[in-house]
Amino acid sequence: MKITIKDIANIVGVSTTTVSQILNNKGQRFSEETRQKVLKAVEEYDYSPDYFAKNMVQRESKTVGMIVPDVTDLFFSKVIEGIETYLNKKDYMLLLCNSKHSAEMEKKFIKQLQNRSVAGIILASPNSLALEKRMKQFPYILIDRGLNTREQGNILVREYEGYYAAVEYLIDAGHKKIGILTNERGYYEMTDRHKAYYNCLTNHGITYQESYVEDGPVTIEGGYQAATRLLERADEITALCCGNDQMAIGAYRAAFERGLSIPEDLSIFGFDNLEITAYLSPPLTTVAQPAFDIGYTAAEFLLHAIKFPQEAIPNKMFETQFILRDSVKVFDR
Amino acid sequence: MKITIKDIANIVGVSTTTVSQILNNKGQRFSEETRQKVLKAVEEYDYSPDYFAKNMVQRESKTVGMIVPDVTDLFFSKVIEGIETYLNKKDYMLLLCNSKHSAEMEKKFIKQLQNRSVAGIILASPNSLALEKRMKQFPYILIDRGLNTREQGNILVREYEGYYAAVEYLIDAGHKKIGILTNERGYYEMTDRHKAYYNCLTNHGITYQESYVEDGPVTIEGGYQAATRLLERADEITALCCGNDQMAIGAYRAAFERGLSIPEDLSIFGFDNLEITAYLSPPLTTVAQPAFDIGYTAAEFLLHAIKFPQEAIPNKMFETQFILRDSVKVFDR
DNA sequence: CTGAAAGCGCTTACAG
DNA sequence: CTGAAAGCGCTTACAG
């Protein structure tokens, strides 16, 4: 039997009003003596107000929902860490949902979360969303890399510039036959990265070749498969731009299997700067984006939006950083 | 304004009792006509019962709390995936807490979760817990690798046997100077793995050497540091047993930095069989343990314990599997 | 076949 | 300085 506010009131010999007011710090008007008595009883019986009863009157669930495509993804788990860290500071908690990339599950989760009266939702989604009526008037933040255009609450990363710089580094290092592993089709689109690749080559007088482009899921396995196909087809390339670090890790293996050593025979760079990339052999050159901060900021913006529903949610653009390690060969000239 | 059961009742022209009973499938006694009218209105107005109000009377939060030491840890995120998968099937949701390895935060989270009336808690903990009175009578599952001895609800892995087999493989392959990276002190104790190493060497007539043992956090960075120290001190070793895969990844880099090639100059094996290990260069030989299943089973056991509080929670022992890849050299003999 | 009323455990106007 | 009472939105005995 859980102890209730009534029990405490009876024990101390006051009304529930008194207990409630004191516990909610609206107790200035009570004598220090009753205050102490109440506090003591609360302590002694380890009383805390029932979450559901409290919420029914106050409507403040202090809970936010988070939907991710894959909890085990190295990038997203870092985002989650950032979110949790901010929420924790603010006494909010996180209801975590794993959509397994499915738009249908996302929908189901949104509904379920709203049924549970979460105060807001952070949705990391690879899908173009017909943002249903459900989300109208409801605080949410999208982490979708700009897939769904909107006016506010965009949390983005200057991917184009970051990727461009990396490709340019390759070219400056003397590479001319440069492949790319990307994901162009809707899902996890890498439009910006691909565009950066295209423009950078063109700006440096290198002809863009369709046959140097290979497509695949943005996972380790996807990178492995894509790199394998690409190297099969175009083994003259000396460098490979990867859509992200996980693809780069897969590409390492593809190179390894073909007996290609990195960077001697093949140069590679990634995108994300996952912790693990510093430990690869050789350490991976990559472009850092602040996954933790993205999560942290998303949580910050969301809580603000919950508190001030009438204000517009700001946009935020994160910078990237080129991380030079040892996976790119520099040709003598 | 959210729509309430009263609104629906008014719209249809029945009592709230009727609506409630029909919605909760206790409506056999109602005429098909009213049933349809109610259902239609519910559909039309997208009504769903308020979570808090419902819970206040039914006391079924359908929520479980999960506390992990580190959401970004590759092993734990796989465990979380398993848990979420089972819960999802059962219409439960997961409140996720990141303890950052701190026993103090664990305590705080347990309290917070219980305040929120979660139905149970899964606690993945590296700490020896003075399991406070709070947890008495409360359904929970510990994922602690046997750190806290208890009679029921142990979800364990036959680590000793798995690790022993791996060490034995090394010895059979002709290795005699074999180091180990472990974590002996309280935190994430690897007693079983270390014992397996010790016994296996001894059983094969190889003297155990203190100086071949190095200690460190069970992370990539920890493995890197520990391996660096060990190789500095004892560069005659030809093989290195790692406490887990993350340490092995760190060890790869330590070897790389010293110009040692794997497996030619140094053989390495890990433990866990993280997805990424198949993609390292060379692919890592390791011992698989079923992280996803561990989570899935933990969730399964927990929900059972919630439903049948009087029953004892079963124990479960998972098997390991030796995964032979290319990071171990076999000497000709 | 259906509804009025009590009750879940809180908070909050309001009265004194 | 303190308390009685209403109300939050449900479900569930109980009565008819």
Side-chain angles (χ1 to χ4, degrees), chain B residues 144-271:
Chain B
D144 69 342
R145 309 224 336 279
L147 235 172
N148 302 283
T149 0
R150 58 201 181 286
E151 255 129 48
Q152 45 157 288
N154 285 292
I155 297 191
L156 296 172
V157 172
R158 220 176 281 289
E159 297 185 12
Y160 180 88
E161 289 78 358
Y163 211 78
Y164 193 99
V167 180
E168 194 158 47
Y169 178 82
L170 244 38
I171 296 173
D172 289 349
H175 292 274
K176 301 200 177 334
K177 305 192 174 202
I178 303 173
I180 183 171
L181 261 36
T182 181
N183 189 285
E184 304 174 70
R185 326 209 193 298
Y187 210 73
Y188 284 112
E189 264 179 86
M190 299 207 156
T191 328
D192 279 351
R193 304 183 197 176
H194 182 265
K195 211 189 296 166
Y197 165 82
Y198 180 91
N199 288 349
C200 190
L201 292 192
T202 313
N203 293 347
H204 286 80
I206 300 176
T207 331
Y208 172 83
Q209 304 239 32
E210 270 293 355
S211 65
Y212 283 3
V213 180
E214 188 60 54
D215 210 83
V218 298
T219 59
I220 299 180
E221 175 67 20
Y224 167 68
Q225 302 277 2
T228 302
R229 286 194 302 273
L230 180 57
L231 291 171
E232 186 70 35
R233 178 171 75 225
D235 69 350
E236 71 275 20
I237 62 168
T238 63
L240 184 54
C241 311
C242 294
N244 68 3
D245 285 346
Q246 305 193 65
M247 289 184 103
I249 293 169
Y252 264 51
R253 181 180 177 191
F256 176 79
E257 285 186 358
R258 293 180 69 87
L260 264 34
S261 91
I262 303 170
E264 256 334 291
D265 306 318
L266 183 67
S267 294
I268 290 185
F269 77 81
F271 194 99

Side-chain angles (χ1 to χ4, degrees), chain B residues 65-190:
Chain B
M66 162 91 199
I67 306 173
V68 273
D70 180 1
V71 241
T72 68
D73 181 281
L74 299 171
F75 175 73
F76 289 123
S77 63
K78 204 71 194 161
V79 174
I80 295 173
E81 191 189 18
I83 292 175
E84 209 272 348
T85 301
Y86 186 81
L87 293 185
N88 193 235
K89 280 206 320 200
K90 299 292 182 183
D91 272 320
Y92 270 68
M93 293 197 108
L94 220 215
L95 232 23
L96 184 73
C97 308
N98 196 19
S99 71
K100 307 190 177 171
H101 308 273
S102 145
E104 218 167 302
M105 296 215 65
E106 284 173 2
K107 245 191 198 150
K108 192 192 119 198
F109 281 134
I110 289 175
K111 191 164 175 176
Q112 250 183 295
L113 288 169
Q114 291 188 326
N115 274 353
R116 282 165 180 254
S117 298
V118 295
I121 292 179
I122 298 174
L123 172 55
S125 175
N127 303 306
S128 291
L129 308 159
L131 275 185
E132 325 95 277
K133 54 176 182 194
R134 290 209 140 262
M135 287 305 241
K136 298 284 180 223
Q137 305 275 43
F138 186 79
Y140 70 98
I141 301 277
L142 235 48
I143 298 181
D144 69 342
R145 309 224 336 279
L147 235 172
N148 302 283
T149 0
R150 58 201 181 286
E151 255 129 48
Q152 45 157 288
N154 285 292
I155 297 191
L156 296 172
V157 172
R158 220 176 281 289
E159 297 185 12
Y160 180 88
E161 289 78 358
Y163 211 78
Y164 193 99
V167 180
E168 194 158 47
Y169 178 82
L170 244 38
I171 296 173
D172 289 349
H175 292 274
K176 301 200 177 334
K177 305 192 174 202
I178 303 173
I180 183 171
L181 261 36
T182 181
N183 189 285
E184 304 174 70
R185 326 209 193 298
Y187 210 73
Y188 284 112
E189 264 179 86
M190 299 207 156

Side-chain angles (χ1 to χ4, degrees), chain A residues 6 8-19 22 34 37-38:
Chain A
K6 227 168 163 176
I8 297 290
N10 284 338
I11 289 163
V12 181
V14 294
S15 72
T16 59
T17 308
T18 304
V19 177
I22 288 174
T34 36
K37 278 199 294 192
V38 168

Side-chain angles (χ1 to χ4, degrees), chain A residues 68-215:
Chain A
V68 273
D70 180 1
V71 239
T72 69
D73 182 279
L74 299 169
F75 175 73
F76 289 123
S77 64
K78 205 68 194 165
V79 174
I80 295 174
E81 190 189 20
I83 292 174
E84 208 272 348
T85 302
Y86 186 80
L87 292 185
N88 192 236
K89 279 206 322 204
K90 300 294 181 182
D91 272 320
Y92 270 67
M93 292 196 110
L94 220 214
L95 232 24
L96 185 73
C97 308
N98 196 19
S99 71
K100 307 189 177 172
H101 308 274
S102 145
E104 216 167 305
M105 295 215 64
E106 284 172 2
K107 245 191 197 149
K108 191 192 120 197
F109 281 134
I110 289 174
K111 191 164 177 177
Q112 251 182 296
L113 288 169
Q114 290 187 327
N115 273 354
R116 281 166 182 254
S117 298
V118 295
I121 291 179
I122 298 175
L123 172 55
S125 176
N127 302 306
S128 291
L129 307 159
L131 275 183
E132 325 95 280
K133 55 175 183 196
R134 291 210 138 262
M135 288 305 241
K136 300 280 178 226
Q137 304 275 42
F138 186 80
Y140 71 97
I141 301 277
L142 235 48
I143 297 181
D144 69 342
R145 310 220 338 277
L147 236 170
N148 302 283
T149 359
R150 57 201 181 285
E151 254 130 49
Q152 45 156 287
N154 286 293
I155 297 190
L156 296 172
V157 172
R158 220 177 280 290
E159 297 185 13
Y160 180 87
E161 289 79 358
Y163 212 77
Y164 192 99
V167 180
E168 193 157 48
Y169 178 82
L170 245 38
I171 297 173
D172 289 349
H175 292 274
K176 300 200 179 334
K177 306 193 171 201
I178 303 174
I180 182 170
L181 262 36
T182 180
N183 189 284
E184 305 173 70
R185 325 209 194 298
Y187 211 73
Y188 283 111
E189 265 179 85
M190 297 202 157
T191 327
D192 280 351
R193 303 183 198 176
H194 182 264
K195 210 189 297 165
Y197 165 82
Y198 180 89
N199 288 349
C200 189
L201 292 191
T202 313
N203 293 347
H204 285 80
I206 300 176
T207 332
Y208 173 83
Q209 304 239 30
E210 272 292 355
S211 65
Y212 284 3
V213 180
E214 189 58 54
D215 210 84

